[in-house]
Each structure stands twice: as C-alpha cells, then as structure tokens.
Amino acid sequence: AHGSGAVARSRDKGPVLKTGAVRPDGVELNILTLGPEEIFYRMGRFREFDACEFSLSTYTIRRARGEQLIAIPVFPSKMFRHSAIFVRDAAGIREPKDLRGKRVGIPKYHMTAAVWIRGILEDEYGVAPKEMLWFEGGEGAKVKEVDVTLPPQIRMEHVPGDRNLGDMVAGGELDGPLGLADLCVDLERAVLVAEPSVGRGARDISPVIATSE
C-alpha cells in the first residue's frame, strides 16, 4: 500500500478516517490532527502533506500563479459570513454603509472569510474595500501561507506583533474586526461571540448585520 500524509482538523473534521471506521482501498493513511492555521501554512509554504483541508482563497491565489495544487469538491467548513462582521457600539455603525471610513481589523487580508465578507459588503451593500482603513495582524496572524500584493487603492496598516485585535477594538483604536468567529478579550469591556440573536446594547461589540437563527 502507498503511504499518504493526510490532515484533519479537530472536532468533527475527518473523524471516520482518523478512527479507521472508513478505510480507503490501497492507501495507508497517516492522519495528523492540527489547527487550520498550521495546516494552511505548512501546506501552502512547504507542501508537507499529500492531502489536507486547505484555505480556498490561498488555493485560488496559488492556482492563479500556476502552482500544481488540485482541489476536490469536499467542504469541511460551510457557513454564511454575514454574522462575522463585528463593530464597536461606540463607533456609530448601525448598518453596513456606516463602515465607510472606519478602521477595520483583520488577521489576514487574503484569508477566505475576509474575501467572502468583502464580497458581501461590496455586492450586497455597496461598500468597497477601498472605502475602509484596514489593519492586518493580531490573532490568527502568526504565520502567512501566501504572500499577496494588494491593489494600490487599498489602505493597509500592520498591527504590531505584540498587539491583538480584541484589545485594540476594546480600547477604541479599531472600530471593529472582520472574520473572527470567536474573540474574547477583557470581558468587562469587549466580548465577541457569534450569537447574532443577542441584541445591541447587551455587549460593547455587536454584529453589524443581524441574522435570524
């Protein structure tokens, strides 16, 4: 049998392969359970695995550059990103159009969640990326799986390595973060959780697009 290095994320990602409940014919799998950031970095930079979960945005960037990566139609992570746009209540943002001119934090500008969110804001609400001031870094930005050159109209600043987006939002340095499903920092001042049903005013930070359960 041929060996194959495969990577599965934790929780519900690939358990039947890891436990051996499903065994592919003719393949002896070596299953590694790692966090998504490490998986994407090691595959994106070094091609360490024969198969793995991978960032859709990083995949499309590298394929566009002619790199030999092959995607299969399996989607272990599926969600709507409308509820991943959080804002500080004191910033005066009540609807997506109010994001124009605001300071927005993002771990990585190219990451898949951010790509979806920018598309939602521009296509559904008419807010273009060039209309916001972006801050890249903080949580989820320890390593970068691909280098990108942004269009000249995108205004970008980099978060220092010892800072995180949650504290910057809580301290009023940023108006909100995008794409973070779970961010908890200084519970007395800022708590972000993906629970759109919690009304504005219950927390210092809220999703700008309300979604029903």
Side-chain angles (χ1 to χ4, degrees):
H2 298 287
S4 177
V7 174
R9 282 178 61 181
S10 58
R11 300 186 298 275
D12 60 339
K13 307 301 194 305
V16 293
L17 292 176
K18 185 175 181 178
T19 62
V22 173
R23 296 180 181 275
D25 292 337
V27 178
E28 182 179 345
L29 294 178
N30 174 27
I31 304 292
L32 303 176
T33 302
L34 305 170
E37 187 176 14
E38 181 177 355
I39 295 172
F40 299 166
Y41 175 70
R42 290 171 62 177
M43 187 64 173
R45 291 291 186 183
F46 310 112
R47 303 294 191 275
E48 289 193 31
F49 315 113
D50 296 305
C52 70
E53 180 181 358
F54 201 49
S55 160
L56 178 60
S57 61
T58 300
Y59 170 77
T60 55
I61 291 169
R62 291 196 173 279
R63 281 291 295 178
R65 294 173 180 174
E67 299 187 27
Q68 296 303 306
L69 289 169
I70 299 176
I72 60 176
V74 175
F75 304 95
S77 178
K78 301 181 287 292
M79 65 184 66
F80 289 101
R81 294 292 180 179
H82 296 69
S83 60
I85 307 172
F86 293 95
V87 295
R88 196 168 51 89
D89 289 348
I93 301 170
R94 296 296 176 264
E95 52 186 317
K97 70 177 184 180
D98 298 332
L99 286 165
R100 293 188 177 97
K102 298 300 185 179
R103 304 159 299 173
V104 177
I106 195 76
K108 302 171 188 177
Y109 189 84
H110 76 275
M111 69 186 214
T112 303
V115 173
W116 279 111
I117 290 170
R118 290 195 300 274
I120 290 168
L121 289 174
E122 185 161 17
D123 292 347
E124 298 184 19
Y125 299 97
V127 181
K130 65 182 180 181
E131 296 180 279
M132 292 172 277
L133 175 59
W134 298 88
F135 289 77
E136 184 183 62
E139 305 91 320
K142 293 180 181 179
V143 294
K144 215 169 193 178
E145 58 272 12
V146 65
D147 296 315
V148 296
T149 300
L150 301 182
Q153 65 268 29
I154 300 300
R155 298 177 295 161
M156 175 69 72
E157 296 189 17
H158 294 282
V159 175
D162 61 343
R163 304 295 307 281
N164 66 62
L165 300 179
D167 287 338
M168 293 179 70
V169 172
E173 299 173 73
L174 295 177
D175 297 307
L178 302 186
L180 299 177
D182 185 18
L183 172 57
C184 299
V185 185
D186 189 355
L187 296 182
E188 294 182 357
R189 303 183 63 192
V191 176
L192 274 69
V193 290
E195 294 181 2
S197 60
V198 177
R200 189 176 296 278
R203 297 189 175 95
D204 290 337
I205 301 175
S206 308
V208 70
I209 301 176
T211 58
S212 58
E213 294 187 8

